[in-house]
């Protein structure tokens, strides 16, 4: 088993309509406005951004994300990532009653040297760090959608 490889799946049930959620999620440069753990996103070009994020562990992760799929009709946003994490991330949005079920999936390999060395003994801590980041994102997005 490659201990540096992580696969995540998180589900957020939101009260906003899918088109409203999609409109916020497709603007990665605005994530720092509502997601506390996303510290900075800088657009490089129309399809590429650099991002810096940090959850409760005392290190930043830096990635370059490039759009691979942008499909509002299917509710899918997908990006490839390289840098401290290499792999992909995908949002899939579906109508759920009067709201939205947002599914976030990510498959990455840790490239940051210290994290690679600690991947086996610290795996539960890294998973908890990711879960804390996702909880912060859900709370932030819910509040942000209530304001826009």
């Amino acid at each position: 088993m490659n201990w540096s490889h992580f696969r995540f799946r998180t589900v957020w049930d939101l009260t906003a309509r899918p088109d409203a959620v999609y409109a916020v999620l497709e603007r990665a440069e605005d994530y720092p406005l509502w997601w506390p753990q996303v510290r900075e996103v800088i657009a490089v070009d129309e399809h590429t951004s650099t991002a810096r994020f940090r959850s409760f562990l005392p290190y930043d992760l830096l990635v370059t994300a490039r759009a691979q799929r942008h499909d509002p009709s299917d509710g899918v946003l997908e990006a490839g990532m390289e840098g401290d994490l290499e792999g992909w991330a995908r949002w899939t949005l579906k109508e759920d009653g009067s709201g939205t079920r947002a599914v976030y999936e990510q498959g990455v390999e840790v490239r940051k040297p210290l994290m690679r060395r600690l991947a086996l003994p610290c795996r539960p801590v890294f998973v908890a760090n990711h879960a804390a980041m996702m909880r912060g994102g859900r709370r932030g997005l819910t509040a942000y959608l209530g304001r826009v």
Side-chain angles (χ1 to χ4, degrees):
M1 175 174 196
N2 179 355
W3 293 103
S4 295
H5 182 80
F6 291 82
R7 177 76 192 237
F8 298 105
R9 184 176 190 275
T10 304
V11 177
W12 295 351
D13 290 315
L14 305 163
T15 58
R17 304 289 304 149
D19 57 335
V21 176
Y22 194 93
V24 173
L25 292 177
E26 73 180 339
R27 296 190 46 78
E29 64 275 12
D30 288 345
Y31 280 31
L33 296 175
W34 56 268
W35 198 332
Q37 294 81 9
V38 179
R39 305 300 172 94
E40 179 179 55
V41 177
I42 300 169
V44 174
D45 61 36
E46 184 180 349
H47 303 288
T48 309
S49 298
T50 60
R52 179 174 61 85
F53 41 92
R54 174 191 287 212
S55 192
F56 66 78
L57 291 175
Y59 58 80
D60 288 352
L61 291 173
L62 304 171
V63 299
T64 299
R66 179 159 182 78
Q68 293 180 329
R69 185 170 176 203
H70 184 268
D71 188 343
S73 63
D74 279 344
V76 177
L77 289 163
E78 186 172 329
M81 295 186 300
E82 53 187 44
D84 290 340
L85 301 174
E86 189 169 300
W88 56 272
R90 176 177 48 242
W91 286 105
T92 306
L93 309 178
K94 297 288 183 196
E95 187 173 345
D96 185 33
S98 62
T100 302
R101 174 155 285 191
V103 177
Y104 178 81
E105 297 172 284
Q106 185 180 46
V108 293
E109 184 162 334
V110 175
R111 305 303 300 163
K112 193 171 185 113
L114 179 60
M115 288 182 68
R116 287 181 70 79
R117 284 193 293 279
L118 296 173
L120 177 58
C122 292
R123 188 173 188 85
V125 176
F126 293 164
V127 170
N129 191 62
H130 177 81
M133 179 172 175
M134 296 308 293
R135 283 191 304 274
R138 182 187 43 77
R139 283 190 302 268
L141 181 58
T142 299
Y144 188 79
L145 287 165
R147 293 189 308 264
V148 293

